Amino acid sequence: MLIRDAVGMALNTIRVQKLKSFFSLLGVLIGVTFLIAVVSIVQGMNVYMEDQFANKLIGLNTFQLRRMSNFNSGNVTEDMWREWQRRPRINYQEAAYLEDNVQTPVLYSRYCSENLDMLWDGKTAKQIDIQTADAPYFQIKNYEIASGRTFTPQEAKVGAAVIVVGWEITDKLFKGADPIGKSVMIAGIPYRVVGQIAKQGTLFGISLDKFAVVPFDAPIHRAVCRLGFMDELHVRADNPAAMKLAVNEVEGLMRIQRRLKPAQENNFALQTAEGALEGWNKISAILMTALPALVAISLVVGGIVIMNIMLMAVAERTREIGIRKALGAKRADILAQFVVESATLSTVGALIGIGAGIGLAFLVRGVTPLPAAVAPWSVGLGVFLGVAVGMTAGIYPASRASRLDPIEALRQE
Amino acid sequence: MSDLVIQIRDMTRTYVMGAEEVHALRGVSLEIRRNEYVAIMGPSGSGKSTLMNMIGCLDTPSSGEYWLNGQEVSRMGDDALARVRNKEIGFVFQTFNLLPRASALQNVELPLVYGGVGAKDRRERSKAALTRVGLGDRMEHRPNELSGGQRQRVAIARALVNEPAILLADEPTGNLDSTTSEEIMRVFESLHAQGQTIIMVTHEPDIAAHAERTVVLKDGKVSSDTTNRRGAAA
């Protein structure tokens, strides 16, 4: 009854003085809005980066053996860059040695890529990402075949002039017509379209469908790769644990092949989804470190404002406090009443802030490619902070109220 | 001895106002028995407000003793005094002192809230108290929806709801017209007839005449203590 009374009284105050209450709650409101919005965006980005970025660009349970990593975070000095440029490329012998010696069951595909123009029926599709790869590539990348087929191991082995095209080729070059069986020209050589890969969508607004895959040893090979070498060796395991094992095995076998001494660093890179996420993880770590400070500042300001509002309320209701004391309210009763009232005010601010934060997160999701997912724990934390700030801010005004002399208080008009 | 509700011995109260000492009470002794109806009178500055605050346990004496219903309240701390006010005293004020945003029923429930009475019991007792003062049909009204006389009756119901040892009224008719004042006096008389001890502070002789006994204060001391002929003015 006492708590319900105090809550009701606080809500009544808010209802009667909407504008004043809104301004007094603004600090808490902004703090909690920040909290919810930033956490939502960061969490959404986390999910997005893991699901979309890492898995689409690198693939699930997949890693790539490269001369150097192409996802770099932090400072790359000129010396580092020059060292990378001096590294040997990955060659066929190294790849074959790995295939023979890695114990963990995995799929392999050699891989090179280059942007080239593609011609059909007098039209040109410019700067298409032409990828050369072995037959397991489609499985490694988890590409779904929308129509037709991938190339067969035989076609891959002999380097047949066949091609599997991405969605955007069909859309732009063939204007949506069935591409299967059509013949496209790349660097003066005709390739027969045998398959069509399902739409991959976009990543941060960039199309993932502007590509085509040909067998690694197809005639175009010489325009894409230096003979005997590859850009990347793609390796896919069945599960994350197997992938870790395979990464360790490949690293060890590569060091053996390249005769690296224990003190020498790898002169090759093993690129995992985790590694690609490193840069993002740094950004999100910075955001998550800065966030508490931002939220704390808003909440401290909000708390001070609420304290002032409560001091005013105590002054305005001195007579009421006198009446309550005359009727038998103890100090603790008065203290509890005003603390609860202050907590209620602040919690209302926090609830509005939660609403605004969620709204902001959805707004960001709606108008930018950044995704946002509301984290339940941040909502819980928002409510908790609202209550805590209100209670803390209410203690001083409430203790002043509780110490009022009933005779003096009753005398007040 | 057990018949005494109030026993005050040599009570003094001194206030320090800046460099000056103000002697509001200079040795008051007073005994009031159960079911007495006492009016306390005196000109302003006589100490009657101070004495009322003492009897109502809102203040403690500088020296002397005050026994209320067998307990020595002159040595009690804040929380103990709050408990005594809650259980033993029913206040009726000149300005009613109802909470403006609460209904009549909620106002009457307030002492029971601080007395720790459960919600259901509280409601029933408050309804009974309001019915007793003739406001059974106004329970959900707020103070500003009631007339002065009705507000004072809500205050009386609130004072009685905890079945206090004394009903302590401070100028209960000071803000009421003469017709309504008579109405409130009739309520007091009926409560007195039912066994309630009533102490009323007033400066109006015709209101004081409703009591059985009149104590007059002057300069912080009791200057006369007389028994009225019962119901002389009624």
Side-chain angles (χ1 to χ4, degrees):
Chain A
M1 174 71 184
L2 263 180
I3 286 186
R4 218 187 60 196
D5 263 356
V7 170
M9 208 168 287
L11 293 177
N12 200 43
T13 309
I14 294 170
R15 206 179 58 229
V16 174
Q17 301 178 304
K18 285 187 189 73
L19 198 65
K20 190 178 122 192
S21 303
F22 176 76
F23 283 114
S24 58
L25 300 179
L26 208 55
V28 174
L29 197 156
I30 289 173
V32 174
T33 303
F34 256 131
L35 173 78
I36 303 290
V38 174
V39 168
S40 297
I41 291 166
V42 169
Q43 289 264 315
M45 278 291 286
N46 279 343
V47 172
Y48 189 69
M49 291 301 276
E50 269 156 38
D51 285 7
Q52 307 285 312
F53 180 73
N55 291 337
K56 269 191 185 164
L57 245 52
I58 300 192
L60 196 63
N61 300 329
T62 300
F63 65 94
Q64 295 156 9
L65 173 63
R66 298 172 55 92
R67 184 161 68 138
M68 58 196 196
S69 172
N70 59 354
F71 299 109
N72 291 302
S73 57
N75 283 330
V76 177
T77 64
E78 215 170 306
D79 286 346
M80 283 164 78
W81 184 253
R82 240 178 277 131
E83 187 268 324
W84 290 347
Q85 294 295 328
R86 278 198 305 271
R87 287 178 174 184
R89 290 167 195 275
I90 313 294
N91 65 38
Y92 293 1
Q93 287 76 30
E94 286 169 334
Y97 180 79
L98 292 176
E99 286 192 42
D100 289 345
N101 289 287
V102 171
Q103 303 295 309
T104 314
V106 288
L107 294 170
Y108 299 92
S109 171
R110 294 170 295 171
Y111 170 93
C112 282
S113 82
E114 190 64 69
N115 286 350
L116 295 167
D117 294 351
M118 189 187 280
L119 284 77
W120 180 73
D121 195 21
K123 284 176 293 199
T124 307
K126 285 191 183 301
Q127 297 293 299
I128 303 297
D129 181 24
I130 303 295
Q131 307 177 346
T132 66
D134 293 316
Y137 181 68
F138 300 95
Q139 209 182 329
I140 289 171
K141 294 288 277 189
N142 211 11
Y143 283 144
E144 195 188 321
I145 303 301
S147 67
R149 56 174 178 84
T150 64
F151 37 80
T152 62
Q154 285 72 29
E155 283 169 336
K157 199 172 175 190
V158 301
V162 291
I163 190 164
V164 178
V165 295
W167 176 262
E168 204 164 314
I169 316 272
T170 307
D171 195 38
K172 296 276 158 64
L173 204 58
F174 304 117
K175 304 288 177 211
D178 183 11
I180 309 297
K182 300 213 162 63
S183 185
V184 295
M185 296 285 280
I186 305 168
I189 300 166
Y191 287 81
R192 184 164 52 87
V193 177
V194 296
Q196 157 75 59
I197 294 167
K199 192 168 183 173
Q200 298 296 303
T202 59
L203 188 70
F204 299 126
I206 299 161
S207 169
L208 294 176
D209 292 296
K210 204 178 164 188
F211 74 106
V213 187
V214 299
F216 192 81
D217 295 315
I220 197 65
H221 178 260
R222 72 187 75 123
V224 177
C225 257
R226 198 180 292 180
L227 194 67
F229 297 96
M230 66 199 77
D231 291 348
E232 298 167 1
L233 179 67
H234 287 229
V235 184
R236 177 175 180 152
D238 293 336
N239 54 61
M243 190 191 91
K244 256 189 195 134
L245 282 177
V247 167
N248 289 337
E249 281 191 79
V250 168
E251 185 179 11
L253 292 167
M254 283 301 291
R255 288 184 68 89
I256 290 167
Q257 291 194 79
R258 294 196 166 176
R259 300 178 202 290
L260 297 176
K261 296 192 184 89
Q264 278 179 292
E265 287 194 30
N266 290 346
N267 57 0
F268 54 89
L270 289 162
Q271 187 160 279
T272 59
E274 254 171 55
L277 289 178
E278 216 169 81
W280 162 245
N281 288 341
K282 274 185 190 165
I283 294 170
S284 77
I286 290 167
L287 281 175
M288 288 307 229
T289 317
L291 182 66
L294 275 173
V295 172
I297 291 168
S298 315
L299 291 184
V300 166
V301 172
I304 291 169
V305 174
I306 288 177
M307 189 161 87
N308 273 301
I309 295 289
M310 289 311 294
L311 282 171
M312 276 170 61
V314 169
E316 279 168 9
R317 280 160 41 199
T318 301
R319 193 189 184 85
E320 176 198 318
I321 295 161
I323 297 169
R324 288 176 182 272
K325 285 202 152 187
L327 298 181
K330 297 184 191 62
R331 279 187 178 191
D333 294 322
I334 302 293
L335 191 79
Q337 181 192 332
F338 282 93
V339 167
V340 168
E341 199 173 317
S342 170
T344 306
L345 264 172
S346 168
T347 305
V348 168
L351 290 177
I352 298 173
I354 288 169
I358 292 174
L360 200 61
F362 277 95
L363 186 73
V364 166
R365 184 157 84 180
V367 301
T368 71
L370 293 178
V374 177
W377 67 262
S378 69
V379 174
L381 183 64
V383 174
F384 169 77
L385 287 174
V387 176
V389 166
M391 288 183 75
T392 312
I395 285 172
Y396 174 63
S399 94
R400 275 184 54 160
S402 75
R403 283 200 306 263
L404 284 174
D405 173 24
I407 299 168
E408 293 288 324
L410 279 170
R411 211 172 278 159
Q412 216 207 28
E413 282 311 306
Chain B
M1 184 72 188
S2 69
D3 201 30
L4 287 177
V5 178
I6 287 176
Q7 218 178 345
I8 291 171
R9 280 192 213 125
D10 297 325
M11 182 186 274
T12 69
R13 181 65 168 101
T14 308
Y15 299 101
V16 180
M17 293 182 105
E20 240 180 297
E21 281 196 344
V22 177
H23 300 280
L25 297 179
R26 301 164 183 263
V28 171
S29 293
L30 187 65
E31 290 187 346
I32 294 172
R33 287 186 314 281
R34 207 169 295 285
N35 198 21
E36 266 196 287
Y37 187 175
V38 182
I40 296 175
M41 296 190 72
S44 53
S46 64
K48 67 180 193 302
S49 288
T50 307
L51 182 61
M52 196 213 71
N53 288 338
M54 292 295 164
I55 294 173
C57 297
L58 291 165
D59 198 0
T60 47
S62 304
S63 74
E65 278 178 36
Y66 174 24
W67 290 75
L68 172 63
N69 212 11
Q71 307 167 75
E72 191 186 2
V73 292
S74 39
R75 309 260 172 272
M76 283 183 176
D78 272 4
D79 280 358
L81 285 174
R83 197 160 48 240
V84 171
R85 287 197 294 270
N86 186 253
K87 300 283 181 232
E88 310 288 359
I89 296 160
F91 284 100
V92 174
F93 301 95
Q94 178 178 0
T95 52
F96 322 133
N97 278 343
L98 301 174
L99 298 187
R101 283 176 293 195
S103 69
L105 189 62
Q106 285 169 330
N107 266 293
V108 176
E109 281 187 5
L110 212 51
L112 300 175
V113 170
Y114 293 119
V117 178
K120 201 168 160 237
D121 199 10
R122 208 155 67 202
R123 186 128 302 199
E124 277 168 17
R125 282 167 67 177
S126 304
K127 282 182 178 170
L130 277 167
T131 309
R132 206 170 149 197
V133 296
L135 285 176
D137 55 344
R138 293 280 192 280
M139 295 199 261
E140 297 304 329
H141 291 241
R142 294 197 173 190
N144 61 7
E145 297 162 337
L146 298 171
S147 71
Q150 286 170 331
R151 287 183 212 183
Q152 196 57 301
R153 280 192 278 162
V154 173
I156 293 168
R158 183 178 67 183
L160 292 174
V161 74
N162 239 349
E163 291 158 14
I166 55 172
L167 182 70
L168 186 57
D170 179 16
E171 306 276 7
T173 58
N175 277 20
L176 301 173
D177 60 46
S178 57
T179 319
T180 319
S181 297
E182 284 304 319
E183 184 189 314
I184 295 299
M185 285 303 103
R186 276 198 296 279
V187 174
F188 274 29
E189 265 149 36
S190 114
L191 294 172
H192 178 232
Q194 290 165 43
Q196 183 67 50
T197 311
I198 300 173
I199 300 167
M200 177 169 70
V201 176
T202 182
H203 66 268
E204 295 174 69
D206 50 334
I207 291 296
H210 287 267
E212 300 173 317
R213 177 182 164 193
T214 306
V215 176
V216 181
L217 289 188
K218 199 178 172 192
D219 297 331
K221 285 180 177 172
V222 176
S223 72
S224 79
D225 188 345
T226 52
T227 307
N228 306 342
R229 200 162 56 80
R230 184 87 205 271

